[in-house]
Amino acid sequence: MAPDGRADVVPPMVQAEGVHKRFGRLEVLQGIDLEVARGEVMCIIGPSGSGKSTFLRCINHLEQINSGRLWVDGELVGYRQRGDKLHELREAEIAKQRIGVGMVFQHFNLFPHMTALGNLVEAPLRVKREPKQEVHERARALLDRVGLAAKAGGYPSQLSGGQQQRVAIARALAMRPKLMLFDEPTSALDPELVGEVLDVMRDLAESGMTMVVVTHEMGFAREVGDELVFMDGGVVVEAGRPRDVLASPKHQRTAAFLSKVL
Amino acid sequence: MASPPSTEIRAGATPPEEIKAVPVRHPWRWVSVAVLAVLVAMLVNGVVNNPAYRWDTVGKYLFDQRLARAALVTIELTVLAMVLGVALGVLLAVMRLSSNPILSSAAWIYLWVFRGTPVYTQLVFWGLISVLYPTISIGIPFGPEFASFETTKVITFFVAAVIGLALNEAAYMAEIVRAGILSVSEGQTEAASALGMRRPQVMRRIVLPQAMRVVIPPTGNELISMLKTTSLVVAVPLTIDLYSRSREISLALFQPVPLLICAAIWYLAITSVLMVGQYYLERHFARGSQRQLPPTPLQRLRRRVLGAPRGDRIAEGGGAVAVGDRDGAIGGRTAGSDGQ
């Protein structure tokens, strides 16, 4: 069902209906139906190749879907609906949509030629054109929030993996997004550094941010997640409350995957 | 949790006994050094004590005003041609990588034409431009004109030389810049796009600055090469550069060798200055690539003469030494203030 225009019904933050995505002849997403409510933390788990990261990247139009519909905060992603025809959005409009959606990548993707502070202020200054003083103050406050106030002047190459990922989270938050996407945020980290990043994510979840997290960290999913989604072969196999799915999976494939991971 | 083990020696404990073994000997290395020394001595003797080189003439004309002024012209040509060539090259590279098929094809055709013909021929062409197009007019294509100029007045031989060199250089620079852009990992563009940045901004602020690290060494090469390519401007014809002037003098003296050496020494001196400039430029763009950049030769010299500055625990001649817990940044200086 498409989101209503009625004022008293708040649309879900993310809504996916029959989303398909293929790369050449490879069908990666074969009909995803999902809803993420406001303030909800959804954790997506599944074997590699299941399409979890691809689906995440469709949400902010880093990948263009081939069929189905995807809405973020009631707005269609990547297209405009006029009558019964879909019009592709122009690059400027897509960029505008992305402002409201923050993304954290597996390999951090910090800008190496800028300091931590520089990474944070770049987009707010140049994309949103916010006043410099305000942007710098907020950036420092964000770095403080993730525990890296002292590293504001450091370059990414001078930071450990955990610190870099925390800066990456702060960088995404600097744009004041309404939704945060995490693509296996701790998969590239040494085990002892995973905890500090998960702490920041937990803190973010508790402050009410809507989050979609692709992860292998079952502990995080159980403690912080509101909904756990198991994807395999490009479809959602099972979804439910994390404790329920993890303790008693309904599908054989889910159980098989969990037995390998837990 | 106990702090991670220190890698420094604890005070008071006796250090383990150092191994004192007989090192491997390399007798043939000394033989090859001796052979090399003899060859070098023979070479130097054959040059210095050879009357055919006419070192007296070399000394007489090395700092001649005509050569000095000609060297200046050569430098001017080099700088102008490179600045214009790099600017146009960046534009062409971005066009080549554009999703717009017209832009990328136009750039391809440019590269095909300007790399496919000899630069000497191109310079002859630009020298003859005022024969091919006696007047340049500005106006509506195939329609009325608003202003017109006599080509020879606007495009002097010097201007023609610069244009010829620059347009040719742009074609080669385009490929160098394109390689640099391709070397920047896709994740950077993705992260920038995810933050809402548009393509021009992503290119200017994120991709190109990082591409510079890969672009500068071959560009430095091109610059040093251009210094010598300017000698081809005799095709335009432009004869006030270092090569042509030195040739003029050598013909007047009926001595081919000494003025060649003078010109070579000038070219070598200018090249050396350019190499130092390239070194510092590369360092500027390498900021952030390593935890701490190795010391420059100047810094190493200062250290040797004056001793290491306080608070600096960096090993010489190589990368940084990280002592202590791995989560801390390197001791010593912190990098810069706000990012720009």
Side-chain angles (χ1 to χ4, degrees):
Chain A
M1 257 182 308
D4 289 304
R6 296 193 317 227
D8 54 334
V9 174
V10 178
M13 185 57 82
V14 180
Q15 185 164 359
E17 246 179 48
V19 170
H20 287 254
K21 170 73 191 163
R22 64 166 184 280
F23 292 105
R25 287 229 299 257
L26 181 66
E27 294 265 354
V28 177
L29 296 178
Q30 303 188 36
I32 303 285
D33 294 286
L34 262 196
E35 248 183 53
V36 183
R38 250 154 244 279
E40 185 183 319
V41 175
M42 169 177 287
C43 294
I44 304 182
I45 62 173
S48 61
S50 56
K52 343 185 267 295
S53 289
T54 307
F55 176 67
L56 205 71
R57 291 156 62 85
C58 289
I59 298 178
N60 66 352
H61 206 68
L62 282 181
E63 305 289 354
Q64 190 170 24
I65 62 176
N66 294 116
S67 91
R69 297 280 186 277
L70 197 49
W71 290 270
V72 168
D73 199 13
E75 205 182 297
L76 201 55
V77 170
Y79 300 96
R80 193 185 310 115
Q81 181 103 34
R82 272 219 203 105
D84 58 346
K85 270 222 198 71
L86 279 183
H87 293 254
E88 279 185 7
L89 287 184
R90 279 195 297 268
E91 200 226 338
E93 294 165 316
I94 296 173
K96 205 143 166 257
Q97 277 189 338
R98 290 190 180 133
I99 291 175
V101 181
M103 187 153 189
V104 176
F105 299 85
Q106 182 176 352
H107 296 285
F108 332 136
N109 289 339
L110 288 181
F111 307 135
H113 59 300
M114 298 178 182
T115 60
L117 192 71
N119 266 270
L120 261 70
V121 302
E122 179 68 19
L125 278 180
R126 284 172 201 274
V127 175
K128 286 170 104 174
R129 302 198 170 281
E130 289 169 355
K132 188 169 173 192
Q133 177 87 335
E134 203 183 293
V135 169
H136 277 255
E137 270 169 22
R138 205 173 71 238
R140 285 187 191 278
L142 275 170
L143 282 175
D144 191 40
R145 184 174 163 189
V146 300
L148 289 170
K151 299 279 197 262
Y155 284 92
S157 62
Q158 294 168 327
L159 304 174
S160 74
Q163 292 172 329
Q164 287 186 53
Q165 193 63 300
R166 286 187 274 156
V167 172
I169 296 174
R171 178 179 66 174
L173 290 174
M175 292 294 275
R176 285 196 272 239
K178 46 195 174 185
L179 168 68
M180 283 284 281
L181 306 175
F182 292 82
D183 190 357
E184 303 207 33
T186 56
S187 293
L189 294 175
D190 290 332
E192 71 259 29
L193 301 175
V194 167
E196 67 196 49
V197 173
L198 293 180
D199 287 341
V200 169
M201 289 168 66
R202 179 199 321 261
D203 176 61
L204 192 59
E206 278 163 17
S207 72
M209 175 67 76
T210 314
M211 293 162 59
V212 182
V213 184
V214 172
T215 186
H216 296 297
E217 295 289 328
M218 301 304 168
F220 176 84
R222 186 190 296 116
E223 303 305 317
V224 184
D226 297 312
E227 175 105 347
L228 186 66
V229 170
F230 172 67
M231 269 179 70
D232 191 8
V235 291
V236 172
V237 173
E238 192 168 335
R241 298 184 62 79
R243 282 170 207 273
D244 299 339
V245 177
L246 290 171
S248 35
K250 291 202 199 72
H251 289 253
Q252 202 274 321
R253 278 150 87 189
T254 321
F257 174 75
L258 288 174
S259 68
K260 279 194 238 134
V261 171
L262 285 174
Chain B
M1 279 278 269
S3 56
S6 164
T7 53
E8 295 169 6
I9 299 173
R10 294 187 307 281
T14 27
E17 194 182 302
E18 294 257 340
I19 297 176
K20 284 191 178 61
V22 178
V24 179
R25 303 256 183 247
H26 302 276
W28 288 104
R29 278 193 199 167
W30 292 105
V31 172
S32 52
V33 166
V35 169
L36 221 61
V38 167
L39 286 174
V40 169
M42 283 168 66
L43 185 70
V44 171
N45 185 48
V47 168
V48 168
N49 293 330
N50 189 335
Y53 279 87
R54 302 300 308 263
W55 292 102
D56 51 339
T57 317
V58 173
K60 185 165 171 221
Y61 284 95
L62 185 59
F63 294 106
D64 187 292
Q65 235 194 27
R66 282 172 290 175
L67 282 189
R69 238 180 278 147
L72 202 63
V73 170
T74 296
I75 294 175
E76 276 171 22
L77 284 169
T78 308
V79 169
L80 285 171
M82 279 308 286
V83 166
L84 293 173
V86 169
L88 185 56
V90 170
L91 182 64
L92 285 166
V94 173
M95 280 168 70
R96 275 292 281 138
L97 291 167
S98 159
S99 50
N100 182 329
I102 297 175
L103 287 181
S104 79
S105 305
W108 188 89
I109 293 174
Y110 183 101
L111 260 57
W112 178 61
V113 169
F114 282 89
R115 289 192 307 172
T117 50
V119 59
Y120 191 93
T121 313
Q122 291 173 30
L123 286 168
V124 171
F125 174 87
W126 288 107
L128 292 173
I129 196 83
S130 48
V131 172
L132 293 164
Y133 304 96
T135 50
I136 301 175
S137 46
I138 300 176
I140 298 172
F142 302 111
E145 33 180 82
F146 304 129
S148 86
F149 312 90
E150 223 178 280
T151 316
T152 39
K153 292 239 171 64
V154 178
I155 304 189
T156 63
F157 282 149
F158 185 87
V159 171
V162 170
I163 292 176
L165 289 172
L167 291 184
N168 178 262
E169 186 58 30
Y172 292 94
M173 281 306 303
E175 289 295 82
I176 293 174
V177 174
R178 189 170 71 93
I181 292 175
L182 289 176
S183 76
V184 179
S185 82
E186 222 192 319
Q188 290 290 303
T189 312
E190 284 187 353
S193 307
L195 286 167
M197 286 195 227
R198 299 184 53 190
R199 269 198 294 261
Q201 193 179 9
V202 173
M203 184 59 73
R204 251 188 325 117
R205 294 289 299 174
I206 307 301
V207 175
L208 282 178
Q210 292 183 58
M212 294 304 272
R213 285 209 69 212
V214 171
V215 164
I216 287 178
T219 305
N221 226 24
E222 291 290 309
L223 177 65
I224 288 168
S225 172
M226 174 64 82
L227 184 69
K228 275 51 119 283
T229 309
T230 55
S231 57
L232 293 175
V233 297
V234 68
V236 175
L238 189 71
T239 52
I240 50 171
D241 75 304
L242 191 52
Y243 168 72
S244 293
R245 265 283 190 263
S246 66
R247 194 155 178 278
E248 249 176 53
I249 302 174
S250 78
L251 288 174
L253 297 175
F254 295 106
Q255 291 176 40
V257 177
L259 268 299
L260 254 182
I261 298 179
C262 283
I265 292 175
W266 273 99
Y267 279 121
L268 192 59
I270 301 171
T271 302
S272 308
V273 172
L274 292 176
M275 284 170 69
V276 171
Q278 178 182 339
Y279 176 75
Y280 282 102
L281 193 64
E282 280 192 40
R283 272 180 79 88
H284 170 78
F285 282 101
R287 144 197 85 161
S289 69
Q290 296 173 40
R291 285 177 169 259
Q292 187 109 24
L293 291 174
T296 68
L298 217 58
Q299 287 170 347
R300 282 210 298 270
L301 184 66
R302 197 176 290 150
R303 239 168 250 173
R304 206 158 293 213
V305 172
L306 301 171
R310 256 179 300 126
D312 197 70
R313 291 138 74 204
I314 307 306
E316 270 186 21
V321 171
V323 179
D325 74 282
R326 75 140 2 125
D327 234 30
I330 301 302
R333 47 198 133 110
T334 51
S337 54
D338 299 350
Q340 276 299 54

